[in-house]
Amino acid sequence: MKGAVTIVHMAVRVSGVLLIVLGVGIWTGRADQVIPVHELLGFVLVVSLWTLAFFAARVGVPARWVVLAVAWGLVAPILGLTQQGMLTGDWHWTIQVLHLLIGLGAIAQGEILARRMEQVGSPRVSAS
Ligand code: HEM
């Protein structure tokens, strides 16, 4: 299972970095045509995060971390796919910042789960 965990963890990281790069392109108005690619990568990230959460639950990571990651993976695409109609006008940038922060949070959830899985695997490290 360790190999599969490494693969989905890397998938979260790689898709996350690409999402940030494409997102900046979209934000600066230079790359609107890459939005479908960005959305596809977003789904890759979410599915990878959920897979990681599934593995984490199986090795005994506390349920609150698993539930948080699953819920985060749900909120990120819901906001991404609906935000175009939100606060259109001068304040739209606040939604864009929110989307970026929630996106960064989704990547962080992957890191937290991976760390917790290591802690569960090596009992000498205290899992708080
Ligand atoms: C999880 C699934 C995701 C979906 C479905 C999604 C979807 C979208 C869409 C449709 C846009 C264009 C919005 C617009 O033009 O108003 C966008 C923009 C953007 N995305 Fe995502 N995204 C996702 C994840 C992420 C992640 C993980 C990051 C970064 C960590 C990210 C960063 C950005 C940035 C910086 C922009 C440009 C600013 C903006 O328009 O909000 N996205 N995304």
Side-chain angles (χ1 to χ4, degrees):
M1 194 172 92
K2 213 166 174 216
V5 169
T6 306
I7 290 171
V8 282
H9 186 195
M10 284 304 139
V12 170
R13 287 179 165 177
V14 172
S15 58
V17 169
L18 293 173
L19 278 158
I20 296 170
V21 173
L22 292 184
V24 170
I26 299 167
W27 207 337
T28 53
R30 269 181 258 143
D32 269 6
Q33 66 278 16
V34 301
I35 289 178
V37 181
H38 180 90
E39 288 174 353
L40 186 70
L41 281 167
F43 287 110
V44 170
L45 182 139
V46 168
V47 170
S48 307
L49 181 63
W50 282 346
T51 311
L52 204 56
F54 172 76
F55 287 139
R58 280 189 45 178
V59 297
V61 169
R64 60 181 182 276
W65 298 110
V66 175
V67 170
L68 184 65
V70 171
W72 209 293
L74 201 61
V75 170
I78 290 176
L79 178 65
L81 294 176
T82 53
Q83 70 181 53
Q84 263 161 329
M86 286 183 198
L87 276 185
T88 51
D90 284 355
W91 288 95
H92 187 66
W93 65 269
T94 54
I95 301 292
Q96 292 178 308
V97 171
L98 184 67
H99 177 73
L100 174 61
L101 292 180
I102 289 185
L104 291 175
I107 300 166
Q109 288 303 318
E111 297 306 310
I112 291 169
L113 281 183
R115 178 82 56 88
R116 296 273 157 192
M117 288 171 89
E118 273 171 26
Q119 287 176 344
V120 170
S122 46
R124 272 176 304 159
V125 183
S126 76
S128 53

